[in-house]
Amino acid sequence: MTAQRILVIGTGGREHALAWRLSLDPEVERVLVAPGNPGMEDVAEIAPVAMTDVDGLIELARAETIDLVVIGPEAPLVAGLADRLRAAGIPTVGPGADAARLEGSKAFCREIAMAAGVPIARGSRHTDLDEALAAVRAADGRIVVKADGLAAGKGVIVCEDLETAEGAVQACLAEGAFGTAGHTVVLEELLTGHEVSVIALCDETAVLALPAARDHKRLLTGDLGPNTGGMGAFSPTDEPDTAAVEGLVDLVHRPILTELARRGLGFRGVLFAGIMLTPDGPRLLECNVRFGDPETQTTLPRIAVPLAPLLAGLAEGRLAGAAAELGIEGSLLPVDPTATTTVVAAAAGYPDAPETGDPITGIAVARAVGAQVWTSGVARDGERLVTAGGRVLAVTGHGPTAEVATEHAYAAMAHIRFRDMQVREDIGRPAPARPAVAIPVGSGSAA
Ligand code: AMP
Ligand code: GLY
C-alpha cells in the first residue's frame, strides 16, 4: 500500500523537489503543497494554508482525504505539528516535538550524542556572558559559537580570532541577536576536514540513508563570508564513498535513535547528520530532523526507487517492510549512477536582509537545457515571478560525472537573471590551489 494523496508542508526548494519526486510515483494521484510557492505549480497543487495554522492544515488534510503528510522545515516540527497531525489520525513523516529537540536545541543534541557514544567536538554550554567569554579567551578565539536554538541556519559563527569570537558570544548573550534561541550558547572546538550530510529515513524498524551530499554553507566563493542555509550541494562525494556512508549510519544514526528510544522518544522522520570527516575520524556537527535544503534537490534526482511507498511505510512504523517490498537490502537507498550538482541563487542582502520584488527571468530556458529549477523565495506579480526571500531558487545539473553535472548546472544558471543575484562559483568544483608563496602587491595586473 502506498500513499495516493500526499500533502507536503513547506515553502522552499526542498519541498519543490519532494513534491516533484513524489509526483513521479505511478500510485500517487495528487501532491499538494502548503503553503508552497508559485514556482511549484509545475509539479503540485498549491494550498494557501500557513505552516503555523495547525487547525487549517488538519482541516485541509481531511477535506482532501490526504493519506500522507510530509513536513519539510524544522520550525513546525519543533512546534509539535507532527504530534498534532498524528493525534488527528493522519500518517505523518516527521518526529514529534520531543525528538525534534535534537535540532531545536544544540545542547540537547550534544547531550544525546554523548549519551549514545557518538563522536562529537569538545564543547561547553553557557548562559552566563563572563563564563562564555572566559571560554573563548582560553581557546584564543579559535572556536565555534552556536546559538542553542533555531536560527534559520545562521546561528553558527565559526571564529578564528578573539575579536570575532567575543563579538559572537556578546551578540547571543548580551545583544539578543538570535532572540531566545541565543540565550544559551554552545561553544565547540573548531574542527577541520571535509563536511558531509548523511540524511536517512528512520522509524522504529529501519534506517535507510540517501546518498551522501556535500553542502556549501558559506555565502561566498572560496568558503568565505557568513554561514547560510546552504548555497549549493553535490552528490556523490568521493569522501565518504558509498561503503563509508553505511559506516556513518552505524556510527551516528543508529546510536542516536537507540538513545532516543531508551528515553521513550519515538522517531518517524528524517534524521540528518552533519558530519566533519577530520584527520582523527568522523565527528558529528549537528543533527537536523528533516531533509536538507539544498541536499534534497541534489539527492532525490539520484534515487532509483519510488519514494512514496517508503515514506508511507515510515509514517506507519513499517519502513523495514516497505523497503523489503522494493527489494532494498541494507541501510542505503539504491541510487542511479548519475552525479548531480545543485547551485543556489540568493537575493542581494542575503543572509542578513534580503531584497525582494525583482523580476526573475530565464527559468524556462534553464529547464529547456535539461536542468531542474527549484523555486524558494519567489512570489507572483501578474504573469511574472519576482524575488521574495533570501534563497530565491536552485538549479540542479546532471551528468555521468561530477564535473559534467557541475558544468550543466552552471550553464543552466547562466540563463537565469534577477537583480544582484548571489551565486557561488565553486559548488562542486575543486578549490583552486593556493599560491605557495605570497605574491607581492603591485607586481601584477589588478584582478
Ligand atoms: P551546524 O548548524 O551546527 O551544522 O553548523 C553550521 C556549519 O558550521 C556546519 O555545517 C559547519 O560548516 C560549521 N561548523 C559547525 N560546528 C563546527 C565545528 N565544531 N568545527 C568547525 N566547523 C563547524
Ligand atoms: N543545507 C543544510 C540544512 O538543510 O540544514
Side-chain angles (χ1 to χ4, degrees), residues 14 215 217 229-230 272 286 288 290-295 391:
R14 163 184 51 209
D215 183 16
K217 284 263 168 71
F272 168 145
E286 67 165 339
N288 298 323
R290 51 168 177 82
F291 288 100
D293 188 339
E295 287 90 337
R391 290 188 292 176

Side-chain angles (χ1 to χ4, degrees), residues 112-383:
I112 294 287
M114 281 188 286
V118 174
I120 56 173
R122 278 193 298 270
S124 57
R125 160 184 193 279
H126 305 269
T127 50
D128 181 81
L129 178 64
D130 292 331
E131 274 177 32
L133 288 174
V136 303
R137 284 176 197 135
D140 213 13
R142 283 187 54 79
I143 202 158
V144 182
V145 179
K146 302 185 174 188
D148 179 58
L150 293 185
K154 295 162 209 155
V156 174
I157 304 120
V158 178
C159 308
E160 305 204 11
D161 61 77
L162 196 52
E163 196 186 336
T164 313
E166 287 180 345
V169 164
Q170 256 149 357
C172 290
L173 291 177
E175 292 152 21
F178 300 104
T180 52
H183 288 176
T184 297
V185 291
V186 168
L187 301 177
E188 271 185 7
E189 140 196 41
L190 179 63
L191 299 172
T192 52
H194 283 308
E195 219 178 308
V196 63
S197 305
V198 181
I199 300 171
L201 313 181
C202 307
D203 72 359
E204 302 86 327
T205 65
V207 181
L208 215 45
L210 284 96
R214 177 154 307 136
D215 183 16
H216 295 63
K217 284 263 168 71
R218 300 291 191 101
L219 178 69
L220 303 173
T221 301
D223 268 338
L224 301 172
N227 263 336
T228 69
M231 293 298 290
F234 63 94
S235 179
T237 54
D238 6 313
E239 201 202 353
D241 61 17
T242 308
V245 175
E246 202 140 14
L248 292 174
V249 168
D250 289 340
L251 185 73
V252 177
H253 297 69
R254 291 186 193 281
I256 284 183
L257 292 163
T258 304
E259 176 61 22
L260 288 175
R262 199 184 65 75
R263 297 179 183 216
L265 304 178
F267 194 102
R268 290 186 186 172
V270 178
L271 181 56
F272 168 145
I275 297 169
M276 186 78 88
L277 304 171
T278 79
D280 301 322
R283 298 283 184 274
L284 176 66
L285 296 177
E286 67 165 339
C287 281
N288 298 323
V289 294
R290 51 168 177 82
F291 288 100
D293 188 339
E295 287 90 337
T296 304
Q297 296 91 309
T298 221
T299 52
L300 290 191
R302 302 190 58 228
I303 302 298
V305 287
L307 188 61
L310 293 171
L311 294 186
L314 181 161
E316 291 173 351
R318 46 171 196 85
L319 179 58
E325 281 164 26
L326 293 173
I328 300 171
E329 288 169 11
S331 47
L332 302 179
L333 276 176
V335 293
D336 286 326
T338 60
T340 49
T341 299
T342 301
V343 180
V344 169
Y350 177 74
D352 295 330
E355 293 169 21
T356 59
D358 294 304
I360 306 163
T361 59
I363 291 180
V365 188
R367 287 189 176 139
V369 300
Q372 291 174 291
V373 181
W374 318 104
T375 54
S376 298
V378 303
R380 195 175 282 295
D381 175 16
E383 289 296 295

Side-chain angles (χ1 to χ4, degrees), residues 431-445:
R434 301 239 164 113
V437 288
I439 299 165
V441 176
S443 69
S445 59

